[in-house]
Amino acid sequence: MTAWDALRAALDSLRANPLRSALTMLGIVIGVAAVIAMVAVGAGAREQVLRQIASLGTNLIMVGQGSIVRGGVKLGAGTASSLTEDDALAVLSEIPGVVVTAPSVRWGLQIVAGNQNWGTVLFGITPDYMDARDWSIAAGHGLSDVDVAQANKVVVLGQTVVRNLFGGGDPIGEPVRVFSTPLTVVGVLAEKGQNTQGQDQDDVIFVPLSTAKRNIPGMAKSNPRFIHTMVVKMRDGADMADAQAQIRDLLRQRHRLIPGQDDDFWMRDLSEVSATRDASSRALSFLLAAVAAVSLLVGGIGIMNIMLVSVTERTREIGLRLAIGARRRDILVQFLIESTTLSLIGAAVGVALGIGTAMGVAELAGWPTLIQIDSVVLAVVVSGLIGVFFGLYPARRAARLNPIEALRHE
Amino acid sequence: MVSEPAHSLITVERLTRHYRMGPQIVHALDDVSVTVRPGEFVAVMGPSGSGKSTFMNLLGCLDRPDSGRYWLDGQEVAGLSSDALAAVRNRSIGFVFQSFNLLPRQSALDNVMLPMVYAGVSHAQRIERALAALDAVGLLERAGHRPTQLSGGQQQRVAIARALVNDPLLLLADEPTGALDTATSLEIIGLFQRLNRRGITIVLVTHEPEVARFASRVLHFRDGRLIDDLSQDAEVAA
């Protein structure tokens, strides 16, 4: 008996009971569709998170002002005005692998344009900040080193700020007022969207670092060189943990901290965020795999059940086939091919349903989905194996029938 | 040990088969020796439980004897492996059953082709030979019909075509007219006689003397023993 003969016999037998065959496949169909759809949704979500993380930059280290301790009371991050522009310069020149250090100050305030006003966050920056945080300019131009050196009264607006102050209008060249000082809009930032915490990254304005310090009342009162944070950008492939350790040592030394004393600054590596995200999405994938495995298992048991019924129903046919020259192996193969055909047709329907569901979810719910070819291949292969595994017992039972008794079977 | 006599198709010697039923041992076949020459038309008769079915199952290589020997066309088959026995059933023996045993969802042609599926015959040849076999039983024009669309006599003729399609040496028929009316039975017996005249050896189990009289030789079984072996002038059915 050739494989083609066995396949034809299998299809004939499945056609004999179309409803029963369809119901038997259902477990596999649902299992496979679930695998493909869920993996697609999971991969889409992960892709989105990875994109967001990439927009933050994975080779960045954020260093910020720490808390001061007065009599055991920690006053909170940013209360120690310990970090300075000189620290940023020292990190750049003394730590190997540092590409850029971008010092900045930040301040929440109201910005006014004409009769409109909007509460936003001001960043006093140097041009390096744009590079370190992957900001680009959508219109006009960015801040220059000259703007920083001369404390020019210029500002670059985020998209959200533009929308709220100017509606649809062009803000370039328009005056805005911040901390009662008029600034000229020279550029508009390209849109970044939400960050991983859901915060609107476009609700910002950038001014030169020197302009911010000079014009925000009381900001630079104790130390004109002070900054709130600096972004340290490492070259690609740099060892982030090692770099952090070196920066810590350097800053402790510069701030004259004695051993045992707490850091007066904080430090965060954005690759930690991405690792956490990755781990949680991996856990989600395991969960999905477990759900899928259970439904495929149930599908396999359904196949075994129906194949046992089929063997009993077709006992006489098996007896006849044995009498006219089928070897036991031929009977075994015939029933194995039948169960595998059942599971593979179920898998094919499941693939179509899964892809349809993934596309439907993308369309209707607006979730990003990404159909993974591996998940399709894996689901089909596993279904085939399930057909063989759960078909084996019924097929062996068929192959072991005594032809004389089988022919007498009613 | 006696060696196998020349010019015989079937030689069985001291064939014995018993079953255990609870504490009892049933001697289904007890020390049976018989020889059938090529071209004979043998009827096997006896009441139920006489051992005739056991004898047929052993001749058909569907069962193995507990002792004794069996040569089919010069080959000792009693000791063959299960796969080799399957090959013997496939190539050397054609089976005809009381209840036809056709696959209900397949056409007459597909049913007749079934033995060739296990003989490794190419698809084109299967169709050609199956059509020839259907022609031999007079059902060529019904090749595309399903069993349910055929009368009992026609179904049995499809089954006979299936039995013939691998050119067997031996046709084994187990109560082939048991499910048919008298007129149709005669038709089928007539077909067996025509096939027999063309050279095929037939062993036919029946409990009806009206069927047995068309055979050239009658074997009578009782209680697992061969009690009578008569040659006779066969009546011609058609």
Side-chain angles (χ1 to χ4, degrees), chain B residues 199-222:
Chain B
I200 190 161
T201 310
I202 297 173
V203 176
L204 178 153
V205 169
T206 184
H207 62 273
E208 297 168 88
E210 307 86 72
V211 173
R213 68 201 160 111
F214 297 100
S216 59
R217 184 176 170 194
V218 182
L219 304 178
H220 279 275
F221 281 81
R222 180 167 296 161

Side-chain angles (χ1 to χ4, degrees), chain B:
Chain B
M1 271 294 160
V2 187
S3 69
E4 183 252 341
H7 310 302
S8 80
L9 181 67
I10 296 169
T11 302
V12 296
E13 229 179 63
R14 315 204 60 165
L15 214 55
T16 299
R17 183 79 172 95
H18 38 73
Y19 302 101
R20 187 177 292 276
M21 287 183 87
Q24 267 186 313
I25 290 176
V26 178
H27 291 275
L29 206 63
D30 193 5
D31 201 22
V32 170
S33 300
V34 73
T35 298
V36 176
R37 290 184 307 281
E40 283 194 284
F41 186 164
V42 181
V44 176
M45 293 197 69
S48 62
S50 63
K52 60 184 196 301
S53 292
T54 304
F55 181 63
M56 286 295 277
N57 290 336
L58 288 170
L59 286 191
C61 297
L62 291 168
D63 197 5
R64 294 166 194 267
D66 293 307
S67 68
R69 306 176 77 182
Y70 171 21
W71 289 269
L72 180 64
D73 196 32
Q75 185 186 22
E76 168 123 44
V77 293
L80 291 180
S81 73
S82 150
D83 280 3
L85 286 178
V88 170
R89 291 197 295 269
N90 187 232
R91 314 262 155 92
S92 307
I93 301 171
F95 288 91
V96 179
F97 306 95
Q98 177 175 0
S99 51
F100 324 137
N101 280 326
L102 298 174
L103 300 186
R105 292 177 34 81
Q106 313 255 329
S107 68
L109 184 68
D110 282 332
N111 268 289
V112 175
M113 291 202 297
L114 199 57
M116 293 186 282
V117 164
Y118 299 107
V121 178
S122 75
H123 192 71
Q125 244 198 320
R126 281 182 203 173
I127 292 177
E128 190 183 315
R129 276 165 59 178
L131 289 173
L134 280 171
D135 196 22
V137 300
L139 274 182
L140 190 53
E141 74 282 3
R142 301 289 166 98
H145 287 52
R146 286 191 180 176
T148 46
Q149 299 166 308
L150 298 172
S151 70
Q154 286 170 330
Q155 288 186 51
Q156 192 59 300
R157 283 197 276 163
V158 172
I160 292 169
R162 180 180 65 194
L164 293 174
V165 79
N166 272 347
D167 277 327
L169 305 163
L170 174 65
L171 202 59
L172 287 179
D174 190 0
E175 305 270 10
T177 58
L180 303 174
D181 61 44
T182 314
T184 317
S185 295
L186 273 178
E187 245 177 66
I188 295 297
I189 292 297
L191 176 59
F192 276 130
Q193 285 193 324
R194 283 198 302 281
L195 294 169
N196 178 242
R197 276 199 294 275
R198 276 160 43 181
I200 190 161
T201 310
I202 297 173
V203 176
L204 178 153
V205 169
T206 184
H207 62 273
E208 297 168 88
E210 307 86 72
V211 173
R213 68 201 160 111
F214 297 100
S216 59
R217 184 176 170 194
V218 182
L219 304 178
H220 279 275
F221 281 81
R222 180 167 296 161
D223 299 331
R225 288 171 175 273
L226 178 61
I227 56 164
D228 213 354
D229 182 352
L230 294 169
S231 287
Q232 62 182 20
D233 286 331
E235 224 173 289
V236 176

